[in-house]
Amino acid sequence: MDRVPLGLRASAAQLLGCLFLCIGVLLGPVDNLPRALAVGACAGCAASALAAFRYPGWPWFCAGLACSLTGLLRQHFVMDEWLLQWLLSVSTALAFVLVWPVSQATLIHVFNVETQDYDSPFADWEPSRTPRLIRGLAATLLSALATPLLLILLGSGCQWLAGPCWLLLALWVSHAFPGLRPEWQLLGSLLGLAALAGLGAHGVLKELVQPCLLFQDSFWLTGQTLTWTALGYWGSLWHQGQLLRWDKEDA
């Protein structure tokens, strides 16, 4: 597997993951939690087995692109069901990511396939005085608070402009709290989406929230969150000199 060029493997894995997820969601259909988990797991297995490498944020990026394409093709706009659809989209993406290391471990131990392991980008990072948990919770909280505010300000334009905003937010949070994994920011952004959907279902903010969500497919917004946050996270690592640190002996 490691004899195939990395770029080719990554591209093929992404295409296969998108194909499996789109077929499962559009034709499944994904209308309950077990089906969402099953579709996400199948797509994640296919993408992971073909990619045969690991790097922080890459499974989330793959799941984000697959969910974005699915949402763009699906176009499901029902405000009353938005929170449920958000739960299904997040469950699909979560299954996609969680099965990633399981699939590679199966290939390694059952079929004796060699995979390409990347070093942690934080191997030489100077430890901070603030505990990692505190910094992670702060990053999550900032992302959760910023996400509803950004989407409300963007209104109906968030379909195309929310992604670059998440990119800038991820760059800022990653610089403010260096040395963290991207899951902290992703958790905050997804919780922010859930909070926004909750505000849209009840309360005086309903008129402000509906333009953000009423015409946006839940898979699309979830996928945009994952994709652009991962890109912003990598951009921060690149700026701090931590991106593309990998073991040349495994290349």
Side-chain angles (χ1 to χ4, degrees):
M1 180 68 73
D2 58 349
R3 296 179 181 177
V4 182
L6 177 62
L8 180 60
R9 284 189 282 122
S11 301
Q14 184 57 65
L15 288 174
L16 192 62
C18 288
L19 178 64
F20 270 66
L21 196 68
C22 286
I23 292 176
V25 173
L26 298 177
L27 302 180
V30 172
D31 54 4
N32 55 51
L33 189 58
R35 289 182 179 179
L37 295 174
V39 168
C42 290
C45 282
S48 174
L50 203 56
F53 74 91
R54 293 187 291 273
Y55 191 78
W58 177 257
W60 294 106
F61 178 75
C62 289
L65 282 183
C67 287
S68 296
L69 179 59
T70 301
L72 196 61
L73 296 174
R74 192 179 72 146
Q75 299 292 294
H76 182 82
F77 307 137
V78 181
M79 189 64 189
D80 294 338
E81 300 179 1
W82 207 95
L83 195 57
L84 173 62
Q85 293 297 321
W86 171 86
L87 177 61
L88 295 177
S89 64
V90 171
S91 300
T92 304
L94 188 61
F96 188 107
V97 173
L98 291 180
V99 81
W100 192 281
V102 178
S103 176
Q104 291 197 354
T106 302
L107 288 174
I108 293 172
H109 297 292
V110 177
F111 299 102
N112 294 322
V113 175
E114 294 184 2
T115 60
Q116 192 172 22
D117 294 333
Y118 280 68
D119 287 341
S120 170
F122 314 117
D124 299 327
W125 202 278
E126 295 183 3
S128 173
R129 294 182 179 179
T130 307
R132 188 183 300 271
L133 178 60
I134 301 300
R135 291 186 290 120
L137 292 176
T140 300
L141 179 61
L142 284 175
S143 299
L145 293 176
T147 292
L149 180 61
L150 288 174
L151 294 183
I152 289 176
L153 292 176
L154 291 174
S156 58
C158 71
Q159 180 175 9
W160 304 109
L161 299 178
C165 289
W166 272 311
L167 172 68
L168 296 176
L169 177 63
L171 283 169
W172 176 63
V173 173
S174 297
H175 274 74
F177 304 98
L180 294 175
R181 290 187 60 86
E183 283 79 8
W184 294 104
Q185 298 179 49
L186 290 168
L187 174 61
S189 297
L190 293 175
L191 289 177
L193 275 180
L196 190 64
L199 292 174
H202 307 284
V204 296
L205 295 178
K206 186 175 182 178
E207 295 183 359
L208 291 175
V209 172
Q210 280 196 348
C212 313
L213 302 181
L214 186 57
F215 301 108
Q216 318 301 328
D217 187 273
S218 59
F219 271 87
W220 168 259
L221 276 185
T222 299
Q224 291 291 286
T225 306
L226 303 179
T227 303
W228 289 93
T229 300
L231 288 175
Y233 172 77
W234 291 336
S236 176
L237 290 184
W238 175 79
H239 184 266
Q240 298 173 63
Q242 299 297 315
L243 189 63
L244 300 180
R245 290 187 64 259
W246 54 288
D247 189 355
K248 293 182 172 53
E249 293 181 359
D250 292 335

